[in-house]
C-alpha cells in the first residue's frame, strides 16, 4: 500500500453532489453480523449523492470484499505510521486486536464542502464522532430481531468459532448504547429494513 494514498482523500467526490449546506455524516452502528454492510449496500444503490466512506483496517479481507470497499486494507506498520501522522479522526482495536480507523482529512473535506458521507463504526467510535461533529452526525443503530438470529447470521458468515465468540462478546456492550442513537432500525427483513434506511437518509440528504 502506497503511504502517499493517505495524504490524499479516500473518496472521489463529484462536484454535482456538492450541497450549499454543510455535509451530513451518517454513522451506522450495531453488533457485528447484524447486517450493517448489507443494509449500507442496499441503501447506497438506491440513494443518489451519498458517498460511502471506507474505514481503514488491518484485518484480513473476506470473500466478496475489495480494496476500498468496505475497507482499505493495510499492514499494521502502515496503520501505525498513519496514527503517527494524525491521519485518523478516531481509531480502535476491535475483536481480535485489529485496527479500524476513520480518515480525518476526508471527513473534514466532505463536511466543509457540502458532501454527505456514510460509514459504519463501533459504538465507542460513534460517541467520539458525535462529540466532535455534533451538527453533522446522524447516528443510526441497527438491531437484530433477536439474539438467535444474530448468532445464525454470524455463523453463516464466519467459520472460525473463536472469531464468532469474540464478536458475540461485544454484543451486550454495544446494545447498551442504543438509546444514544437518533434512529434505530430492526433488521428483520432486508427489504423492509433497507427501505427504512433509505427513507432516513433521504430525509436529510434532500435538504437544501
Ligand atoms: P455487519 O456488517 O453488521 O457485520 P453483514 O452485513 O456482514 O453484517 O451481515 C452478516 C450476515 O447476515 C451476512 O451473511 C448477511 O448476508 C446476513 N444478513 C444481513 N441482513 C440480513 C437479513 N435482514 N436477513 C437475513 N440475513 C441477513
Ligand atoms: P468487522 O467488519 O470486522 O466485522 O467489524 C468491525 C467492527 O468495527 C464493526 O463493529 C464496525 O462497525 C467497526 N468499525 C469499522 N470501521 C471502524 C472505524 O473506522 N472506527 C471504529 N471505531 N469502528 C469501526
Amino acid at each position: 500500500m502506497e503511504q502517499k494514498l493517505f495524504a490524499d482523500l479516500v473518496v472521489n467526490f463529484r462536484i454535482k453532489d456538492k450541497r450549499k449546506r454543510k455535509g451530513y455524516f451518517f454513522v451506522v452502528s450495531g453488533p457485528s453480523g447484524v447486517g450493517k454492510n448489507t443494509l449500507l449496500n442496499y441503501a447506497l444503490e438506491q440513494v443518489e449523492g451519498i458517498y460511502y466512506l471506507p474505514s481503514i483496517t488491518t484485518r484480513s479481507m473476506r470473500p466478496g470484499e475489495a480494496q476500498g470497499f468496505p475497507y482499505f486494507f493495510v499492514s499494521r506498520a502502515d496503520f501505525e505510521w498513519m496514527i503517527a501522522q494524525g491521519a485518523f479522526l478516531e481509531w480502535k482495536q476491535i475483536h481480535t486486536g485489529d485496527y479500524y480507523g476513520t480518515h480525518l482529512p476526508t471527513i473534514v473535506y466532505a463536511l466543509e464542502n457540502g458532501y454527505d458521507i456514510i460509514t459504519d463504526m463501533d459504538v465507542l467510535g460513534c460517541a467520539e464522532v458525535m462529540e466532535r461533529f455534533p451538527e453533522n452526525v446522524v447516528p443510526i443503530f441497527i438491531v437484530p430481531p433477536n439474539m438467535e438470529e444474530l448468532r445464525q447470521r454470524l455463523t453463516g458468515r464466519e467459520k472460525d468459532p473463536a472469531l464468532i465468540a469474540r464478536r458475540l462478546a461485544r454484543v451486550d456492550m454495544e446494545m447498551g448504547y442504543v438509546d444514544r442513537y437518533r434512529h434505530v432500525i430492526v433488521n428483520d427483513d432486508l427489504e423492509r429494513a433497507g427501505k427504512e434506511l433509505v427513507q432516513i437518509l433521504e430525509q436529510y440528504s434532500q435538504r437544501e
Side-chain angles (χ1 to χ4, degrees):
M1 176 57 48
E2 279 285 309
Q3 292 191 339
K4 177 191 162 300
L5 171 70
F6 301 110
D8 301 335
L9 301 182
V10 298
V11 175
N12 270 329
F13 296 108
R14 281 165 302 180
I15 195 83
K16 74 174 179 56
D17 296 316
K18 188 174 164 68
R19 313 297 162 106
K20 292 199 194 85
R21 55 168 171 72
K22 301 238 174 196
Y24 284 113
F25 185 6
F26 302 99
V27 180
V28 178
S29 302
S32 185
V34 73
K36 296 180 296 294
N37 280 296
T38 310
L39 286 172
L40 274 175
N41 285 336
Y42 178 98
L44 284 167
E45 278 180 12
Q46 315 266 328
V47 182
E48 290 279 305
I50 299 181
Y51 288 81
Y52 178 71
L53 173 71
S55 292
I56 295 157
T57 187
T58 57
R59 88 142 158 76
S60 39
M61 213 185 269
R62 293 186 193 127
E65 294 181 335
Q67 183 63 305
F69 195 89
Y71 296 111
F72 276 104
F73 299 89
V74 301
S75 68
R76 289 184 86 84
D78 277 354
F79 198 101
E80 285 165 1
W81 176 85
M82 289 180 67
I83 296 174
Q85 301 296 308
F88 294 115
L89 167 61
E90 61 79 46
W91 57 269
K92 295 277 172 298
Q93 282 183 285
I94 302 178
H95 304 314
T96 50
D98 277 316
Y99 289 114
Y100 296 80
T102 40
H103 192 245
L104 180 60
T106 305
I107 295 167
V108 170
Y109 180 88
L111 304 186
E112 284 304 314
N113 289 282
Y115 292 104
D116 295 337
I117 50 176
I118 186 165
T119 197
D120 77 303
M121 202 181 275
D122 87 310
V123 291
L124 303 175
C126 182
E128 282 176 39
V129 175
M130 281 162 73
E131 213 162 278
R132 179 88 178 256
F133 299 108
E135 307 286 312
N136 308 78
V137 171
V138 180
I140 303 168
F141 199 93
I142 314 291
V143 295
N146 55 62
M147 275 301 292
E148 188 44 40
E149 176 66 24
L150 180 65
R151 198 181 295 272
Q152 276 178 14
R153 284 182 198 169
L154 263 177
T155 329
R157 193 187 66 187
E158 307 276 356
K159 295 287 159 278
D160 181 350
L163 282 185
I164 296 172
R166 286 215 183 88
R167 287 184 157 74
L168 284 170
R170 279 177 65 98
V171 172
D172 284 348
M173 184 281 283
E174 299 211 324
M175 292 297 288
Y177 279 74
V178 65
D179 289 346
R180 303 186 185 195
Y181 283 72
R182 200 182 304 167
H183 301 280
V184 179
I185 300 174
V186 181
N187 184 16
D188 41 16
D189 174 69
L190 181 57
E191 192 74 13
R192 193 209 62 74
K195 286 201 173 111
E196 194 177 335
L197 178 58
V198 168
Q199 275 173 4
I200 292 169
L201 300 182
E202 286 180 339
Q203 171 188 328
Y204 293 89
S205 72
Q206 289 174 355
R207 288 183 193 167
E208 286 302 315

